[in-house]
Amino acid sequence: MLDLADLLPPAGASLAALFVASFLAATLLPLASEVWLLALVRARPDLAGPALVVAALGNTAGGLTTYALGRLGRRAVDPAALATRRAEWLRRHGAPVLALAWLPLVGDLMCLLAGWLRLPAPGVAAWQAAGRLARYAALLWLAEKTWS
């Protein structure tokens, strides 16, 4: 009988593909990194720990790319155009809000606004990573309960 793991590339290539999928999923591209993570871990349970870390790093890197675009875009956008309630809310609450940057659509806007507001990059990175890691860990935990 054919095993799904036999169809997968070696561990390094699988993890690299997961990183790319997770990175792209943190942009405006309609990509579900959760599917990639679950498929990899289902086929290769021995890669659960590394896959969790790689997915969180890739997704955080994608969010930080959006943050960087927001910082760069500040020069090209009229400040009055982004003086919205969302921007004011993010300014008031700061980087900890970015623990929710994994939320679809809203998270992309939060990352962009964080860059535009020039929130401190280390805090933005740390909070994004924590939120994304927690989300993927919860997803893997729920999947494990379902698979058992």
Side-chain angles (χ1 to χ4, degrees):
M1 176 166 212
L2 184 63
D3 186 12
L4 181 59
D6 295 334
L7 300 175
L8 289 175
S14 296
L15 291 171
L18 177 61
F19 182 89
V20 170
S22 299
F23 179 92
L24 293 175
T27 66
L28 292 175
L29 294 176
L31 195 64
S33 60
E34 299 85 2
V35 173
W36 289 78
L37 175 63
L38 291 175
L40 176 58
V41 172
R42 180 71 172 169
R44 297 280 308 269
D46 58 308
L47 293 179
L52 173 64
V53 172
V54 166
L57 288 174
N59 211 240
T60 299
L64 289 173
T65 301
T66 304
Y67 167 85
L69 291 173
R71 284 186 74 101
L72 293 172
R74 186 175 180 111
R75 296 182 194 129
V77 176
D78 175 21
L82 287 176
T84 64
R85 288 189 322 201
R86 287 179 189 91
E88 291 305 316
W89 180 80
L90 185 56
R91 184 188 331 264
R92 189 171 347 121
H93 296 289
V97 170
L98 291 162
L100 299 174
W102 57 267
L103 291 168
L105 299 176
V106 176
D108 296 331
L109 178 60
M110 286 194 299
C111 292
L112 190 68
L113 284 175
W116 187 82
L117 293 170
R118 297 195 181 276
L119 294 182
V124 168
W127 284 104
Q128 276 194 57
R132 294 170 194 275
L133 182 67
R135 177 198 55 174
Y136 285 131
L139 179 67
L140 286 178
W141 181 80
L142 287 171
E144 173 61 30
K145 296 294 179 193
T146 304
W147 294 337
S148 297

